[in-house]
Amino acid sequence: MQQSTIRQIVDKIDSALGPDADASQVEKIAADILADLTIATPSVTGASESGISSGASKFTFPLLLRAHLSLSDCASRLSATLLAKTYDKIRRIGGSIPPLARQVMDRYGVHIPPVSLALRGTHDLLLGYRKSDILEFLSTMERSAIDAGFNSVDLLDINLEKGGSRVDLLDLLPDLLRSTTLTRVRIHIGSSSSGVRAAELLDTAEALFTPEINSDAIGPRVTLYCNGRGFGGFAGSTGEIQLDLDLSVCPLLDSVRDELPADACYGDRMALLATVGRRLAATGDKILDSITARFAADNMKASKGVLSLSLNAPGEGPAFSGIWAGYPISPVADNAASLASASFLREALLSDIEDRMNVCIVSDDLPLTYSLRNVRAFSKKMTHADLAGYLVEVFAPAIKDGRPRWLSFAPSESTPGDNAVQIPGISGSVSFIERTEGWKSEHFSCGGCILPSTRPKA
């Protein structure tokens, strides 16, 4: 709402109450009118020039703020220098992010979410160093992020594609997870242009059996993905901070539940979801604007990154969103109902959002590319080959078709007989992997590449 509109409302109230009206009374009545307008009018986004209205903040529940920070200017061939430069940058620049972000959230009266740090360019810094040095660097980076007040750190993105493969970093994964507590790692296992190699998938499966792969604080610590460049990406220049924000769609979805008749059709649900997506995107955009403006006031360069609308209900996981969409939900993550719910929710929530806004739909902190849940549990009684065979089944079709896919994995002491299990750090039930065929000899065709490269031969 424009400032001129706000002044007109206050002037009208002042005229009606008379010149002797108490200023606080005028302000209170104006605030009540603005809140009512925000809730009652579908076209109102809920954000005003001076902040977020009480109507919008009531249904705004941030789940995560992610700050990207590049370390590309910290490179050095001297280990002591590299340690000092990375620790200093994370503490000096990154250390201002958590308190400032929490101040802005508190000002708007919304839930204060965990603040995560995503370090960019880490793998390039480690080229040429010994394993012991790399582990020391990475554990020091995590320690500096914790000292700076972050709740978790996306420390490393390992690329296993042919031509740029960092299998050496994959070999470090078990020791890295044992020496850190709040670190998360992403592994790019392949793409349609290079295929995916069987030997590295088997190595990845073996690494997933590391006992420390899960955390009570942040849930699964290893994510696999294909046909992508890393979630959110980092487009900033050296020293720039990029901020991503995840908002849960569930509080606002719950508030409009009564607006749907019992026999609501596809079009009715689509229209209401479009309104929910538009309102939340506008509110999240205003929060990111406020945080970046605070950095600018302190002469620090920060930019808005990705605004994510999360299907996860606070403390419950994404099942509520699937039920709201009107599809039956079962504990099997990859069944037809879960796939249909995910597709419908993604398309509807994004259908009325301005093209200029960088908005995506996420589930379990990862881009929604397939089913409602982006996390899978596997029994520790599985063999490494069985898990590798499952990775072939879920990723090979996506790699072949050029589609992105994201999944996190968590080991469990339970057996998959009940189809689902509770995982520390993850809300709601998590589906078990069902795998019976195991690793196949034909997976080693094409010279060890499960899918041949689609690039034309020279």
Side-chain angles (χ1 to χ4, degrees):
M1 185 174 290
Q2 301 295 321
Q3 282 290 104
S4 59
T5 305
I6 297 174
R7 286 195 295 271
Q8 290 174 10
I9 294 174
V10 174
D11 289 342
K12 288 181 180 179
I13 296 173
D14 189 46
S15 299
L17 294 177
D20 298 327
D22 184 81
S24 61
Q25 184 182 14
V26 174
E27 183 179 352
K28 181 180 184 304
I29 295 175
D32 290 342
I33 292 175
L34 290 174
D36 290 342
L37 285 173
T38 300
I39 297 173
T41 308
S43 61
V44 174
T45 63
S48 69
E49 283 187 350
S50 59
I52 299 174
S53 73
S54 59
S57 63
K58 180 179 179 182
F59 304 113
T60 302
F61 196 95
L63 292 174
L64 179 71
L65 180 73
R66 181 184 296 103
H68 300 258
L69 182 65
S70 173
L71 297 179
S72 59
D73 58 341
C74 296
S76 175
R77 288 296 89 201
L78 298 175
S79 60
T81 303
L82 179 59
L83 281 170
K85 291 174 72 173
T86 53
Y87 187 91
D88 174 71
K89 184 168 186 178
I90 294 171
R91 287 296 310 276
R92 177 172 45 86
I93 298 180
S96 61
I97 299 173
L100 188 151
R102 289 163 184 147
Q103 289 172 13
V104 173
M105 302 287 185
D106 184 62
R107 169 190 164 199
Y108 286 142
V110 298
H111 169 74
I112 299 176
V115 183
S116 175
L117 179 64
L119 296 175
R120 299 305 180 191
T122 307
H123 57 284
D124 291 333
L125 298 180
L126 307 178
L127 284 170
Y129 280 105
R130 298 174 300 175
K131 176 179 178 179
S132 58
D133 291 332
I134 293 176
L135 288 173
E136 183 180 4
F137 295 152
L138 295 175
S139 60
T140 299
M141 290 176 193
E142 186 201 63
R143 186 165 65 251
S144 61
I146 293 173
D147 291 344
F150 291 96
N151 301 98
S152 62
V153 53
D154 295 323
L155 190 56
L156 195 59
D157 206 317
I158 303 174
N159 184 11
L160 300 183
E161 280 191 285
K162 283 193 301 185
S165 180
R166 291 300 305 272
V167 183
D168 58 318
L169 296 180
L170 183 61
D171 294 339
L172 289 173
L173 186 57
D175 289 331
L176 173 61
L177 295 177
R178 292 188 186 100
S179 61
T180 57
T181 57
L182 297 180
T183 283
R184 290 185 292 212
V185 177
R186 290 179 174 138
I187 303 174
H188 189 218
I189 62 173
S191 70
S192 58
S193 62
S194 64
V196 54
R197 286 181 284 193
E200 291 177 5
L201 267 187
L202 185 57
D203 290 341
T204 301
E206 291 176 355
L208 291 176
F209 279 86
T210 304
E212 292 80 8
I213 197 173
N214 215 47
S215 166
D216 290 343
I218 59 175
R221 301 173 63 193
V222 178
T223 296
L224 275 57
Y225 68 100
C226 66
N227 289 317
R229 294 184 178 180
F231 177 35
F234 182 77
S237 58
T238 299
E240 184 181 47
I241 300 165
Q242 179 179 298
L243 299 171
D244 301 340
L245 179 66
D246 292 6
L247 297 178
S248 173
V249 303
C250 296
L252 188 53
L253 277 184
D254 195 39
S255 73
V256 299
R257 190 203 301 260
D258 294 339
E259 298 183 26
L260 281 178
D263 57 347
C265 65
Y266 173 88
D268 293 338
R269 292 179 182 273
M270 189 85 173
L272 200 52
L273 282 167
T275 300
V276 168
R278 185 183 70 247
R279 290 178 61 183
L280 285 177
T283 301
D285 194 53
K286 174 61 74 174
I287 292 175
L288 286 176
D289 276 337
S290 297
I291 298 176
T292 54
R294 287 288 303 275
F295 277 105
D298 293 337
N299 296 317
M300 296 177 66
K301 190 177 181 181
S303 62
K304 294 188 296 184
V306 178
L307 175 64
S308 299
L309 304 183
S310 174
L311 301 184
N312 287 60
E316 299 180 26
F320 171 84
S321 297
I323 294 171
W324 196 98
Y327 294 94
I329 299 299
S330 84
V332 180
D334 295 327
N335 69 357
S338 183
L339 272 60
S341 294
S343 177
F344 174 66
L345 286 162
R346 180 177 57 245
E347 299 305 317
L349 287 167
L350 294 175
S351 62
D352 198 24
I353 294 176
E354 297 179 30
D355 291 338
R356 68 173 180 83
M357 300 181 71
N358 190 4
V359 182
C360 75
I361 307 301
V362 300
S363 178
D364 298 323
D365 296 334
L366 298 172
L368 184 69
T369 54
Y370 195 63
S371 59
L372 283 175
R373 293 239 75 155
N374 274 332
V375 59
R376 301 288 185 274
F378 63 89
S379 171
K380 291 183 178 180
K381 297 179 181 178
M382 287 184 73
T383 67
H384 298 171
D386 284 340
L387 182 55
Y390 176 81
L391 297 182
V392 173
E393 289 183 354
V394 296
F395 282 107
I399 291 173
K400 182 178 180 181
D401 296 338
R403 295 181 290 107
R405 183 153 196 198
W406 298 73
L407 283 176
S408 290
F409 295 89
S412 174
E413 298 288 352
S414 303
T415 58
D418 296 329
N419 293 326
V421 68
Q422 297 293 318
I423 297 294
I426 290 292
S427 58
S429 297
V430 176
S431 293
F432 256 113
I433 290 171
E434 294 185 2
R435 177 70 194 165
T436 57
E437 296 182 14
W439 193 252
K440 300 178 181 178
S441 59
E442 55 263 36
H443 290 158
F444 288 91
S445 62
C446 307
C449 191
I450 294 173
L451 294 174
S453 171
T454 56
R455 293 173 181 161
K457 294 183 180 180

